[in-house]
Amino acid sequence: MPSGRPTTLSFEYVILALLVAGPKHGYELYKEMEAWQGLSEVWKLKQSMLYADLNKLEKMGWVESMPPDLRYTPPRVNFEITKEGKAALEAWLTSPVPKPRDIRPEFLTKLLVASRFGRDYTQHLLEAQRMMVKRWIQFENSQAALGSALSPEALMVLDFRTHWLNNVSEWLEDCQKAFDQQKTDFD
């Protein structure tokens, strides 16, 4: 049963990121996604999902299909990213995820894509997300200040969220250190 929530588009942004380098057909995109280290740990890649997402992106005006290449059987349809698609990718890639529950599927995907576009993107994304997590932690701490007004069960859940967010904050710092180390290794 649908939840009524809009679905996240992060998988579609992966497609856009792969099209920045130039037009590709669906199977080529699928093979690149399969070879992308880390991506299969976040997404279960299905070729049928890829084609549905390409159609969705085309309807949104973020990709355009090119005439089929009849040299192949079946004919291959190449897709290319549009100016609107590039702008959407840029906006997505430079903004933190707005909710803690989106760290695993959305933020990890953004971080994988950002790392393909260079250090400036990863730096900006990590810093923006660290600031967002800091706000989430401040909110949880303000809730904990209510203390005796909350039930023991509510306090238990609040304590879990606070610990989890602190761990996310530490993980973001570790990611930053890893990217900094990579820079040092290549200097």
Side-chain angles (χ1 to χ4, degrees):
M1 182 172 184
S3 67
R5 281 192 302 132
T7 58
T8 180
L9 290 174
S10 58
F11 189 77
E12 288 90 340
Y13 288 107
V14 171
I15 296 168
L16 293 175
L18 290 172
L19 290 173
V20 166
K24 293 178 176 66
H25 57 82
Y27 188 68
E28 186 178 9
L29 288 165
Y30 178 73
K31 292 312 259 179
E32 282 190 44
M33 286 180 188
E34 274 191 324
W36 190 333
Q37 290 190 346
L39 190 62
S40 64
E41 302 302 318
V42 180
W43 291 99
K44 295 300 175 212
L45 305 175
K46 294 182 181 175
Q47 203 169 352
S48 60
M49 185 169 78
L50 171 69
Y51 289 106
D53 289 336
L54 281 166
N55 288 329
K56 184 190 307 182
L57 289 168
E58 189 168 26
K59 286 178 184 172
M60 294 170 71
W62 291 2
V63 301
E64 289 179 342
S65 59
M66 302 167 86
D69 187 342
L70 302 175
R71 294 178 294 164
Y72 300 96
T73 304
R76 292 182 180 166
V77 176
N78 283 310
F79 294 87
E80 62 184 346
I81 190 169
T82 64
K83 188 167 59 169
E84 293 81 8
K86 286 179 183 177
L89 176 62
E90 177 80 17
W92 174 79
L93 198 52
T94 57
S95 60
V97 295
K99 296 179 182 165
R101 70 174 176 231
D102 295 330
I103 288 289
R104 188 200 152 284
E106 190 79 11
F107 182 76
L108 280 173
T109 304
K110 285 184 185 208
L111 194 57
L112 288 168
V113 172
S115 67
R116 287 212 161 182
F117 286 99
R119 182 169 171 68
D120 289 344
Y121 281 96
T122 55
Q123 284 290 120
H124 176 81
L125 184 60
L126 284 167
E127 182 58 33
Q129 197 63 59
R130 282 200 320 250
M131 292 180 68
M132 182 66 77
V133 170
K134 188 183 260 186
R135 284 190 289 239
W136 296 337
I137 291 170
Q138 288 171 346
F139 175 78
E140 296 299 330
N141 288 337
S142 72
Q143 294 299 304
L146 298 174
S148 62
L150 298 172
S151 71
E153 295 83 2
L155 284 171
M156 182 175 57
V157 170
L158 188 60
D159 189 48
F160 170 82
R161 288 194 317 233
T162 302
H163 278 82
W164 180 77
L165 288 171
N166 282 320
N167 285 330
V168 168
S169 180
E170 288 177 31
W171 173 76
L172 289 168
E173 288 177 27
D174 290 345
C175 287
Q176 183 65 59
K177 289 174 188 171
F179 282 110
D180 289 346
Q181 183 60 44
Q182 281 181 337
K183 180 182 182 245
T184 304
D185 290 346
F186 292 110
D187 287 341

